[in-house]
Amino acid sequence: MCTAATYTTKDHYFGRNLDLEFSYHETVTVTPRRKVLPMRHTDALKEHYAMIGMAFVVEDYPLYYDATNEKGLSMAGLNFPGNAHYNAPADGRRNLASFELIPWILGQCATVEQARILLAEVNLTDTAFSPQLPPSPLHWLIADQNESIVFEQTENGTRIFDNPVGVMTNNPTFDYHMLHLQDYMNASARLPENRLAPGVGMEPYSRGMGGFGIPGDLSSASRFVKVAFTKMNSLSGDSEEESVSQFFKILGSVEQQKGCCRLGTDEDGNLLCEYTIYSSCCNMDRGIYYYTTYENSGISCVDMNREDLDGDRLAVYELQKEPRICRQN
């Protein structure tokens, strides 16, 4: 499962946790403007906005998990099993494979409003990238510097939801998460007041009791509430260092540790556990992509503007996974 969020200080930030039981050898990948992106059912993108993000690159094609384009528009695909529904290609619709949606939208759109217009035409197909890579059941968080939306395609068709909290997790559908969030309307970052029995001498016996009841388990519904509470009460300075550090703290409130979400065993009898493989934070205004990995909590970054954005070849950066410990004596 996964969690994605937006955050604003002086600049605007977008990122996510990728929670799975194994890695696909993802890399930080820059797609320049003239890298041809073929599409299975529609015209190839021969020239488009440049973008940076985390991708599994197969046959020189970036299968993006999350990405931000040079205008700041950002997208992340999150697991949506049992709800995501892909169709056969249909006449009169813009037929796209699910793995094409991120580059197709980010390649052409500078704003969420432009993305809304294109998404209204989209029919996500059940087209596999290859026999070894069947379609992943996904829904998407899409954000620019001013607003965010969620795009879902289920058996009932496609839906676009306004996302006023700027966070997203997995199942159920997004409208459920927003309804569920109302169960925690009384939660606060401040100390609670005695509303139960006014006049009776009751005082908080611990700091943090205003958030009593905020869930802490790893389910997608609970992570949605926890990351929304953390993000919407989060404070930091405006510097890049403070902003990026705080964003990773927000994602850290719902990260998954190995051993806490057990999925059974593989064919060799090894225990399978879902965990946070990487966390990302992209400065939407500057095109700088920051990340941490499960093994390495030190922050690494790639700046898309240091690449030849008018080129036609992917720039791919392996993740820095070795632990970094700063020894001070």
Side-chain angles (χ1 to χ4, degrees):
M1 299 296 186
C2 310
T3 305
T6 62
Y7 184 58
T8 300
T9 58
K10 181 180 66 176
D11 286 347
H12 303 82
Y13 300 88
F14 180 95
R16 60 97 55 81
N17 289 340
L18 179 77
D19 305 325
L20 283 174
E21 63 272 26
F22 50 81
S23 169
Y24 280 98
H25 190 78
E26 52 279 345
T27 56
V28 180
T29 303
V30 178
T31 300
R33 300 179 186 115
R34 292 187 173 86
K35 166 64 179 175
V36 176
L37 295 170
M39 301 286 156
R40 302 295 176 89
H41 306 291
T42 190
D43 296 336
L45 294 180
K46 296 181 179 179
E47 292 194 15
H48 48 78
Y49 291 131
M51 62 194 78
I52 185 171
M54 194 71 75
F56 176 32
V57 178
V58 185
E59 299 173 6
D60 202 38
Y61 193 97
L63 301 174
Y64 276 113
Y65 305 174
D66 56 88
T68 296
N69 72 16
E70 61 185 286
K71 300 297 184 180
L73 187 65
S74 304
M75 287 185 67
L78 281 73
N79 204 24
F80 197 42
N83 280 306
H85 180 80
Y86 302 143
N87 305 314
D91 293 338
R93 301 298 302 278
R94 184 73 70 171
N95 296 300
L96 295 172
S98 58
F99 62 84
E100 298 171 335
L101 187 63
I102 289 180
W104 191 77
I105 291 292
L106 296 188
Q108 303 176 83
C109 300
T111 65
V112 165
E113 190 56 39
Q114 292 176 0
R116 285 180 191 270
I117 295 171
L118 291 190
L119 288 169
E121 306 173 2
V122 165
N123 172 52
L124 292 179
T125 71
D126 53 6
T127 307
F129 183 84
S130 68
Q132 296 75 31
L133 292 172
S136 297
L138 301 172
H139 60 171
W140 290 264
L141 176 64
I142 308 169
D144 60 20
Q145 291 89 337
N146 300 307
E147 61 177 323
S148 65
I149 58 174
V150 169
F151 178 73
E152 297 179 347
Q153 182 172 295
T154 67
E155 288 186 344
N156 296 323
T158 59
R159 299 179 72 183
I160 300 172
F161 298 97
D162 291 329
N163 186 344
V165 295
V167 302
M168 194 173 83
T169 56
N170 311 102
N171 291 329
T173 56
F174 183 74
D175 51 346
Y176 168 87
H177 288 295
M178 290 302 297
L179 179 63
H180 181 228
L181 192 61
Q182 295 180 39
D183 292 342
Y184 302 91
M185 289 171 59
N186 200 46
S188 171
R190 296 181 172 86
L191 290 175
E193 299 177 13
N194 177 13
R195 296 190 179 96
L196 175 67
V200 176
M202 290 193 291
E203 297 291 336
Y205 56 81
S206 171
R207 294 178 179 180
M209 291 179 65
F212 193 82
I214 292 293
D217 64 88
L218 299 178
S219 67
S220 57
S222 293
R223 282 185 285 107
F224 187 97
V225 173
K226 180 65 181 294
V227 77
F229 177 82
T230 305
K231 174 208 161 169
M232 300 188 81
N233 287 288
S234 191
L235 298 173
S236 74
D238 284 342
S239 73
E240 185 74 349
E241 292 78 9
E242 291 170 293
S243 302
V244 170
S245 175
Q246 187 71 355
F247 190 88
F248 281 113
K249 298 297 185 188
I250 294 168
L251 292 180
S253 71
V254 290
E255 68 181 353
Q256 299 196 33
Q257 297 78 30
K258 287 183 180 178
C260 294
C261 181
R262 304 187 180 196
L263 305 175
T265 58
D266 63 17
E267 295 178 352
D268 299 320
N270 299 312
L271 182 64
L272 292 174
C273 296
E274 184 171 278
Y275 66 100
T276 300
I277 293 174
Y278 75 83
S279 301
S280 66
C281 167
C282 189
N283 184 315
M284 302 161 73
D285 305 306
R286 304 186 194 182
I288 304 173
Y289 190 92
Y290 302 88
Y291 70 90
T292 64
T293 69
Y294 190 84
E295 302 83 2
N296 178 14
S297 59
I299 299 172
S300 304
C301 75
V302 176
D303 186 342
M304 71 183 297
N305 296 295
R306 292 178 177 266
E307 303 299 325
D308 177 11
L309 297 185
D310 284 321
D312 60 3
R313 296 185 179 181
L314 299 177
V316 175
Y317 291 88
E318 298 285 339
L319 301 192
Q320 300 295 315
K321 293 186 176 181
E322 292 299 317
R324 299 178 189 175
I325 299 176
C326 177
R327 302 188 184 277
Q328 294 186 285
N329 63 10

